[in-house]
Amino acid sequence: EALLNMGATDADVDVKKFGRDIEQVMMDMARVQPNVAAVGMSDGSVQGVMSFDEDEVTNMLLKIVSVTEDNGLKLPREFGLLVKQSLYFDRYLKILAPGLDIGSDT
């Protein structure tokens, strides 16, 4: 209801439906599991590496945008630009450097 009180929408919003939609997104987010691995280094030390499936992260962003649009909420313009840029960046990485792991490559 805080978003509604702040004027983030100009349409009537079904608060219960919006709450259910947000709850579903949060449950989906909780199911996203990181990939964790221990990597032995040349000096004998062990380094932990954690990464997420990029497609899952992209899908979560799209679900968040979809929920807001379906419920008549307006996200700040900057959020939309951020989502677009992250999707473009993800696409370019897959094309230009398909083997690059941005979480562990330096």
Side-chain angles (χ1 to χ4, degrees):
E1 288 186 35
L3 289 171
L4 303 177
N5 293 336
M6 290 180 355
T9 180
D10 27 282
D12 289 331
V13 175
D14 182 347
V15 177
K16 290 184 181 189
K17 177 187 177 304
F18 181 50
R20 287 190 306 269
D21 291 349
I22 290 289
E23 181 180 28
Q24 183 62 50
V25 168
M26 297 303 289
M27 289 178 6
D28 291 347
M29 286 176 86
R31 285 190 211 103
V32 174
Q33 295 295 314
N35 302 315
V36 180
V39 178
M41 306 304 287
S42 60
D43 64 358
S45 65
V46 177
Q47 181 180 17
V49 177
M50 182 171 70
S51 63
F52 290 90
D53 181 353
E54 295 170 15
D55 290 334
E56 282 185 299
V57 173
T58 299
N59 288 335
M60 288 309 308
L61 283 171
L62 293 174
K63 283 181 185 179
I64 291 169
V65 171
S66 177
V67 164
T68 59
E69 287 177 350
D70 290 347
N71 288 284
L73 272 84
K74 300 177 291 186
L75 290 173
R77 183 174 180 264
E78 293 80 6
F79 183 80
L81 292 173
L82 179 65
V83 169
K84 275 186 185 179
Q85 291 306 313
S86 66
L87 294 174
Y88 288 142
F89 184 70
D90 181 56
R91 183 182 325 152
Y92 297 147
L93 274 179
K94 288 179 181 177
I95 293 169
L96 299 173
L100 179 68
D101 179 4
I102 61 171
S104 65
D105 289 345
T106 54

